[in-house]
Amino acid sequence: MITELGEGEIFVFGSNASGAHGGGAARYAYDHFGAVWGQGEGLQGRSYGIDTMSGFDVIADEVAEFLEFAEQHPQLRFLVTEIGCGIAGYRPVQIAPLFTEAPDNVVLPQPFMDLL
């Protein structure tokens, strides 16, 4: 569990399209890392939201956008939570393959790493 961030680190969490960060990692991002209520995706303070509640195709598109963003910001280190594997109901075996092309500055949770 990620409870603090070092210099240049960004907390990556699963959200919903409306940006209602009411529970789980989204709530933690809102309470501790600057996630913006009403913003469902993208960079928000020291966090980055990925919509995991609007279907698998949306998750895939948003992960691809996130990986492009991470590649364009090599000075940052992105700490990814188990996005989609809580309230959204997906399993790591479904989500992990979306990160096969992750750049070196993206740190994946161990359950995802075990599958790649």
Side-chain angles (χ1 to χ4, degrees):
M1 179 166 185
I2 302 163
T3 58
E4 58 185 58
L5 298 173
E7 183 71 28
E9 290 184 331
I10 305 294
F11 182 83
V12 181
F13 66 99
S15 185
N16 56 60
S18 64
H21 308 308
R27 183 61 189 218
Y28 201 83
Y30 178 73
D31 289 343
H32 300 281
F33 302 131
V36 177
W37 197 271
Q39 182 179 337
E41 72 271 341
L43 189 64
Q44 315 173 33
R46 296 192 65 200
S47 64
Y48 188 104
I50 295 175
D51 179 4
T52 60
M53 299 299 290
S54 297
F56 189 80
D57 290 341
V58 171
I59 296 172
D61 289 345
E62 292 212 359
V63 168
E65 288 176 25
F66 160 69
L67 294 177
E68 185 176 314
F69 182 87
E71 191 169 305
Q72 294 170 354
H73 296 85
Q75 76 282 10
L76 299 175
R77 186 168 182 244
F78 297 89
L79 308 179
V80 179
T81 63
E82 286 185 61
I83 66 153
C85 298
I87 297 167
Y90 296 96
R91 292 171 297 145
V93 70
Q94 295 170 287
I95 302 295
L98 300 176
F99 289 92
T100 52
E101 300 297 321
D104 292 340
N105 62 333
V106 173
V107 179
L108 299 174
Q110 194 61 50
F112 289 9
M113 291 298 298
D114 290 345
L115 295 164
L116 297 177

